[in-house]
Amino acid sequence: MNVRKGTRGLLGAVAMASVLALSLTGCRGGAQSSGGGTAASPGITDTSITLGITTPLSGATAGPGTCTVAGAKAYFGAKNAEGGIKFGDGKTRKVDIKTYDDAYDPQKSLSNFQQMVSDNVFAEGIGLGTPTNRAFREAAISQKVPQVLVMTGDPIFSDQKQSPWQLGLVPAYQNEGGAFGKLLASSGGTHKVAILSQNDDYGKGYVSGFKDAIKGASNISVVGEQTYEATDTSVDAQITQLAATGADVFFNAMSITPLTIATLQKAQQIGWKPSWFLPSNTSSPTAILAPGGASAYPGIYSVAFSKAPQSPEFAKDQDVVKFLSDLKQYGNYQGMPAFPHCMWSYIAGATLDQAFQKMTDPTRDSFMKALRSIKGFNAPLMLQGTTVDTTMDGQPAISSVLVQKYNGKGYATAQKFG
């Protein structure tokens, strides 16, 4: 979920170079008869609608990518078993999901988008990754193919002027960083903060949100900052330098699962045990915190908008019970989710369901209009105090987050720092 410096131009050029080719293939299938007065867009009939998901299903990010597909299939599998979803035009349709593996490779995701157009998908979405989603954003705009509820905190996907056929799902990086900063500034205590961030839009977004939130807070000082490249295999040197600052709080704005585990282990090895702030996508209790030995620290904080099935407080929660059942039966995912992306894509499915119910015509235009009209929706699995609101230009479908504290098994909402 990051963009490397220097790649954006290349990716943009590749995407634009593909636009002409796509313009020849994108209308393949063209308008279809819906049996009514309005010509339907590709990928939708009177009885079905086809969605496409490109996401990593192999490689280093295959874990969260697989979760992404499983959650979406769980939601729509259950709806299909109930008979389908009643759309706003009065037709009841079942949802067909086509999945494509991009291995977190922008070139592959662009190729997958081209294949989706050939496969007549109605809309693309839900897949994770900033560089992979950016790789075909311009092509999707040119072809007027919805690219929605994507799992990246990059604000560009929620800017309607720049991205008229896009919408992000998860909170912007700045929102997550800001939530950490507000919690710390309101602690009343004096704290020294060390920051390690990915040297791209991902890391910069988190850091800027954090610094904006602590601006004017005299009790908070940033005593050390380091960066790393997304291609780095070790950050031991940075951890050693940051430990020397004596900071009691460490904000690790990191997106790479193995590196996050390694930083947790390295800090312990050198005897540095501050409280941690971790982004939502690299804070999995089972896949990251447990192998990293996170219980050794006084506090591990992350942010969330969805319930954590691993947490004892949600063991009997009706949403969680149904979700785990659907995930097993329709998502082909056994056991507890190792990554939050399973829950996020389930929420994305429920949000798309809302849009389908509001569509008055079987067209992509009608779909986008309906999708951008959802306000105050309490989707299944969402934490109390967070909702889906797609009406705010510049913000993703979910913009609110709650700071959570690791309790050894899962997370509980943190009322205060410490």
Side-chain angles (χ1 to χ4, degrees), residues 85-238:
I85 296 170
K86 187 170 184 178
F87 280 52
D89 63 355
K91 305 290 174 59
T92 297
R93 298 180 172 92
K94 293 188 176 181
V95 179
D96 179 32
I97 296 177
K98 292 183 179 295
T99 60
Y100 305 79
D101 179 15
D102 59 39
Y104 206 53
D105 180 340
Q107 296 291 347
K108 288 185 179 178
S109 68
L110 175 59
S111 175
N112 287 346
F113 176 72
Q114 295 167 335
Q115 185 62 50
M116 285 187 220
V117 173
S118 296
D119 290 346
N120 268 351
V121 301
F122 177 82
E124 191 284 336
I126 304 179
L128 72 88
T130 300
T132 44
N133 275 295
R134 271 186 175 259
F136 63 92
R137 186 183 66 90
E138 293 178 23
I141 294 170
S142 175
Q143 291 298 293
K144 298 184 178 180
V145 177
Q147 181 190 7
V148 295
L149 304 183
V150 290
M151 290 191 193
T152 164
D154 189 336
I156 195 172
F157 289 95
S158 302
D159 183 318
Q160 292 186 29
K161 186 175 182 180
Q162 296 187 79
S163 303
W165 289 91
Q166 281 75 18
L167 180 64
L169 173 70
V170 297
Y173 306 137
Q174 289 82 352
N175 294 22
E176 291 199 12
F180 290 137
K182 290 176 183 175
L183 182 76
L184 195 62
S186 64
S187 69
T190 300
H191 298 287
K192 296 190 293 184
V193 183
I195 300 175
L196 176 63
S197 60
Q198 196 161 291
N199 189 23
D200 57 22
D201 290 350
Y202 173 89
K204 292 174 182 175
Y206 276 102
V207 174
S208 67
F210 179 80
K211 288 186 174 178
D212 285 346
I214 64 171
K215 195 173 294 180
S218 58
N219 59 322
I220 309 300
S221 57
V222 176
V223 295
E225 290 188 69
Q226 295 286 329
T227 62
Y228 72 96
E229 302 298 326
T231 52
D232 288 348
T233 57
S234 173
V235 293
D236 285 358
Q238 291 96 319

Side-chain angles (χ1 to χ4, degrees), residues 61 77 106 119 122 125 128 240-241 246 257 319 358-359 371 408 412-413:
T61 49
D119 290 346
F122 177 82
L128 72 88
T240 300
Q241 292 185 52
T257 296
D319 282 357
K358 291 173 174 281
M359 286 174 59
L371 182 63
T413 299

Side-chain angles (χ1 to χ4, degrees), residues 318-396:
Q318 290 184 353
D319 282 357
V320 171
V321 171
K322 178 169 174 35
F323 162 70
L324 290 176
S325 175
D326 290 345
L327 193 66
K328 180 179 181 181
Q329 184 170 359
Y330 303 108
N332 193 30
Y333 195 102
Q334 306 301 315
M336 284 289 178
F339 300 92
H341 304 73
C342 285
M343 288 76 83
W344 296 352
S345 57
Y346 196 83
I347 291 171
T351 303
L352 289 174
D353 186 346
Q354 290 291 301
F356 294 156
Q357 293 180 46
K358 291 173 174 281
M359 286 174 59
T360 54
D361 294 306
T363 64
R364 289 166 171 162
D365 285 313
S366 182
F367 166 71
M368 289 302 297
K369 183 178 180 181
L371 182 63
R372 295 190 189 282
S373 67
I374 301 168
K375 186 176 180 64
F377 173 50
N378 295 110
L381 294 179
M382 293 196 73
L383 291 168
Q384 188 174 5
T386 64
T387 60
V388 174
D389 185 347
T390 62
T391 65
M392 296 185 291
D393 188 15
Q395 290 292 335

